[in-house]
Amino acid sequence: MENLGVGELLAIGLVLFMLFGSKKLPDVARSIGRSLRAFKAEAAKPDAEEPEPVEAPSPEEQARLLEERAARLRAEAARARRDDTG
Protein backbone atom coordinates (compact mmCIF):
# COMPACT_ATOMS: atom_id res chain seq x y z
CA MET A 1 0.00 0.00 0.00
CA GLU A 2 1.41 3.33 -0.99
CA ASN A 3 1.55 6.43 1.19
CA LEU A 4 -1.36 8.86 1.13
CA GLY A 5 -0.83 12.00 -0.90
CA VAL A 6 -1.96 15.53 -0.19
CA GLY A 7 -5.12 15.12 -2.27
CA GLU A 8 -6.20 11.99 -0.39
CA LEU A 9 -5.56 13.61 2.98
CA LEU A 10 -7.60 16.66 1.99
CA ALA A 11 -10.46 14.45 0.82
CA ILE A 12 -10.42 12.49 4.10
CA GLY A 13 -10.34 15.74 6.09
CA LEU A 14 -13.26 17.16 4.11
CA VAL A 15 -15.36 14.03 4.65
CA LEU A 16 -14.60 14.07 8.40
CA PHE A 17 -15.46 17.77 8.57
CA MET A 18 -18.77 17.15 6.81
CA LEU A 19 -19.63 14.18 9.06
CA PHE A 20 -18.74 15.65 12.45
CA GLY A 21 -18.69 19.41 11.98
CA SER A 22 -16.13 21.87 13.26
CA LYS A 23 -17.22 21.62 16.92
CA LYS A 24 -17.16 17.81 17.23
CA LEU A 25 -14.05 17.11 15.14
CA PRO A 26 -11.48 17.94 17.91
CA ASP A 27 -13.37 15.72 20.38
CA VAL A 28 -13.48 12.87 17.90
CA ALA A 29 -9.74 13.17 17.18
CA ARG A 30 -8.98 13.29 20.91
CA SER A 31 -11.03 10.17 21.65
CA ILE A 32 -9.40 8.30 18.75
CA GLY A 33 -5.97 9.25 20.11
CA ARG A 34 -6.87 8.02 23.60
CA SER A 35 -8.22 4.77 22.21
CA LEU A 36 -5.06 4.14 20.17
CA ARG A 37 -2.87 4.92 23.19
CA ALA A 38 -4.83 2.50 25.39
CA PHE A 39 -4.71 -0.18 22.70
CA LYS A 40 -0.93 0.14 22.33
CA ALA A 41 -0.48 -0.06 26.11
CA GLU A 42 -2.60 -3.22 26.34
CA ALA A 43 -0.89 -4.78 23.33
CA ALA A 44 2.54 -4.30 24.94
CA LYS A 45 1.55 -5.97 28.24
CA PRO A 46 1.76 -9.66 27.21
CA ASP A 47 5.38 -9.20 26.12
CA ALA A 48 6.33 -7.66 29.44
CA GLU A 49 4.47 -10.18 31.60
CA GLU A 50 5.53 -13.52 30.17
CA PRO A 51 4.62 -16.29 32.62
CA GLU A 52 7.41 -18.32 34.15
CA PRO A 53 7.53 -21.96 33.07
CA VAL A 54 6.05 -24.36 35.60
CA GLU A 55 8.38 -27.17 36.57
CA ALA A 56 6.73 -30.59 36.36
CA PRO A 57 6.99 -32.81 39.45
CA SER A 58 9.43 -35.69 39.35
CA PRO A 59 8.12 -39.19 38.57
CA GLU A 60 8.57 -40.13 42.24
CA GLU A 61 6.52 -37.11 43.34
CA GLN A 62 3.83 -37.93 40.77
CA ALA A 63 3.65 -41.52 42.05
CA ARG A 64 3.36 -40.32 45.66
CA LEU A 65 0.54 -37.92 44.75
CA LEU A 66 -1.34 -40.66 42.87
CA GLU A 67 -1.00 -43.01 45.84
CA GLU A 68 -2.37 -40.33 48.19
CA ARG A 69 -5.35 -39.75 45.91
CA ALA A 70 -6.01 -43.48 45.63
CA ALA A 71 -5.93 -43.83 49.43
CA ARG A 72 -8.40 -40.92 49.81
CA LEU A 73 -10.73 -42.50 47.23
CA ARG A 74 -10.56 -45.88 48.99
CA ALA A 75 -11.37 -44.22 52.33
CA GLU A 76 -14.34 -42.34 50.81
CA ALA A 77 -15.64 -45.53 49.19
CA ALA A 78 -15.36 -47.42 52.48
CA ARG A 79 -17.20 -44.60 54.30
CA ALA A 80 -19.93 -44.60 51.66
CA ARG A 81 -20.35 -48.39 52.01
CA ARG A 82 -20.63 -48.06 55.81
CA ASP A 83 -23.23 -45.28 55.47
CA ASP A 84 -25.29 -47.36 53.04
CA THR A 85 -25.29 -50.46 55.27
CA GLY A 86 -25.47 -48.84 58.65
Side-chain angles (χ1 to χ4, degrees):
M1 185 171 157
E2 296 182 27
N3 292 336
L4 295 175
V6 176
E8 290 92 358
L9 290 176
L10 286 175
I12 292 171
L14 181 64
V15 169
L16 288 174
F17 182 76
M18 288 172 34
L19 285 175
F20 298 109
S22 62
K23 291 183 180 181
K24 288 273 189 177
L25 197 54
D27 294 334
V28 170
R30 199 173 300 118
S31 65
I32 290 173
R34 286 185 193 133
S35 299
L36 286 174
R37 199 173 313 122
F39 177 75
K40 285 180 184 179
E42 290 297 319
K45 277 186 179 179
D47 295 338
E49 297 176 8
E50 190 172 312
E52 294 183 20
V54 178
E55 191 173 312
S58 67
E60 293 84 12
E61 180 70 14
Q62 289 178 357
R64 186 186 62 78
L65 291 171
L66 286 173
E67 288 173 3
E68 287 177 1
R69 287 183 191 156
R72 271 189 250 125
L73 286 172
R74 279 190 224 108
E76 288 176 18
R79 240 183 275 125
R81 272 188 254 126
R82 270 187 263 130
D83 291 342
D84 288 342
T85 60

